[in-house]
DNA sequence: GCACGAAAATGCATAGTGTGCAATATTTGC
DNA sequence: GCAAATATTGCACACTATGCATTTTCGTGC
């Protein structure tokens, strides 16, 4: 267990920086936040901040949670249609966000109020898109597998939309939002015919 | 015509900065390029550089050409299916790029070789997506108009893919690439059913 | 032509960013 | 406890980006 503990500590530190960054952004607005202030609140040196994140935007945005391995396995082996099986994948993903609903809500608010976060957000989404692309590729026929990346973009875009409406609305249930996303995708299929 | 001349001059200066930035990026790689060097090569002061662009990435990426007004009008009034009429829109857009094919090719190469340009590129694409969203909204039924933004994302993503393969391949014709884009979109419609 | 005013370019000062490097501190396996 | 690996930190430094005051340029009306 050499790495396991250190790894956990690193994750913990990254999280503390992330939370400090988000709080400061909420209090002062993105422009007024400095890496210095973030480091100070997180209880680390400025230099250490840059060991964890390349800039303040990245610290605020952090990374979206990965798709859970188990859900990915079920999806790749899944027996339903693509969209049906996607439902399980999305639920597994959303559950992780739901677990930190408070931070999630805060982040969505920051994103809405600070346009300067968009680029960093999209950068972090690229990772998710790449992941999803690989997952989708396992389910696509040889004649449609070149669509994997564009399909991944579509789904992640839909997820973003779903998150926006879900996380800002207290009364919205998880499955409600997901079914809305899937309905949108199905409808998109019709429009593109 | 007080502004017209000045406006043209501004556009010209912006273009000179843009070209200088691209050349330097090609010669030295993104990391080694400084705003100072760009300004110097463009024959302006560093301070003036920041009157035109917020950072070096933006100068290299510049902005994609807008959809030509006339083509937009034809599209919104168009009598064919969505995808059929989109063809005209894409052709009008690609023609503008074709007019500066050399710079376009250079830019695609820079984008491929310098991952640090991705964020700035996507930022510039957001403008195009917003534009396209508004255009598409004019053609969508009330029951599908909430799909305008996701549809715009899909199309722009397809355009990006088309550009990548088109602009890097000497022998590829404009309409060939566009038809490939449209075929992809149609196929995507099937996959999403 | 010429003077006026708007727009653009510039110089300067300054706060903030991000990285390399070397020194120090901490943790881990033994 | 000790040695190796890993993490944190301080420092120096080059670069980024902006506000502000000044100068330059240029189109306009006389």
């Amino acid at each position: 267990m050499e790495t396991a503990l250190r790894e956990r500590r690193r994750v913990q530190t990254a999280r503390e920086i992330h939370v400090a960054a988000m709080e400061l952004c909420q209090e002062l607005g993105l422009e007024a936040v400095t890496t210095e202030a973030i480091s100070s609140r997180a209880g680390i040196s400025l230099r250490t901040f840059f060991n964890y994140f390349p800039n303040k935007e990245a610290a605020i945005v952090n990374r979206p949670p990965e798709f859970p391995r188990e859900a990915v396995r079920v999806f790749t082996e899944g027996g339903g249609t693509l969209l049906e099986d996607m439902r399980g994948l999305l639920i597994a993903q959303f559950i992780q966000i739901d677990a930190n609903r408070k931070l999630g809500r805060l982040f969505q608010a920051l994103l809405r109020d600070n346009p300067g976060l968009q680029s960093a957000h999209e950068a972090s989404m690229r990772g998710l898109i790449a992941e999803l692309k690989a997952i989708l590729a396992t389910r696509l026929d040889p004649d449609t597998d070149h669509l994997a990346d564009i399909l991944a973009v579509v789904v992640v875009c839909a997820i973003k939309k779903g998150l926006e409406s879900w996380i800002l609305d207290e009364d919205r249930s998880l499955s409600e939002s997901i079914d809305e996303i899937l309905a949108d995708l199905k409808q998109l299929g019709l429009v593109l015919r």
Side-chain angles (χ1 to χ4, degrees), chain A residues 15-29 41 59-61 97 100-114 117 121 163-164 166-170:
Chain A
R15 186 176 178 79
E16 285 167 11
I17 298 174
H18 171 53
V19 171
M22 285 205 300
E23 289 174 354
L24 282 169
C25 185
Q26 185 183 30
E27 294 166 19
L28 311 174
R41 178 170 300 202
I60 296 171
V61 168
I97 299 169
N100 291 316
R101 186 160 186 162
K102 196 165 177 190
L103 281 189
R105 292 175 64 84
L106 173 54
F107 176 66
Q108 289 293 329
L110 294 179
L111 201 55
R112 168 170 43 82
D113 300 334
N114 299 280
L117 290 177
H121 184 228
L163 272 182
E164 281 168 22
W166 173 66
I167 218 144
L168 289 178
D169 179 356
E170 292 274 9

Side-chain angles (χ1 to χ4, degrees), chain A residues 118-184:
Chain A
Q118 291 250 0
S119 282
H121 184 228
E122 283 182 5
S124 87
M125 283 294 140
R126 272 202 297 274
L128 203 63
I129 290 172
E131 204 187 339
L132 185 57
K133 175 183 170 182
I135 295 170
L136 287 171
T138 66
R139 281 288 299 264
L140 293 173
D141 303 331
D143 63 321
T144 55
D145 68 352
H146 65 288
L147 293 179
D149 49 3
I150 188 167
L151 189 51
V153 168
V154 172
V155 173
V156 169
C157 177
I159 292 176
K160 269 168 68 175
K161 278 194 64 173
L163 272 182
E164 281 168 22
S165 69
W166 173 66
I167 218 144
L168 289 178
D169 179 356
E170 292 274 9
D171 310 327
R172 209 175 178 81
S173 85
L174 199 107
S175 58
E176 218 176 336
S177 283
I178 289 173
D179 287 337
E180 193 181 275
I181 291 173
L182 292 173
D184 277 0

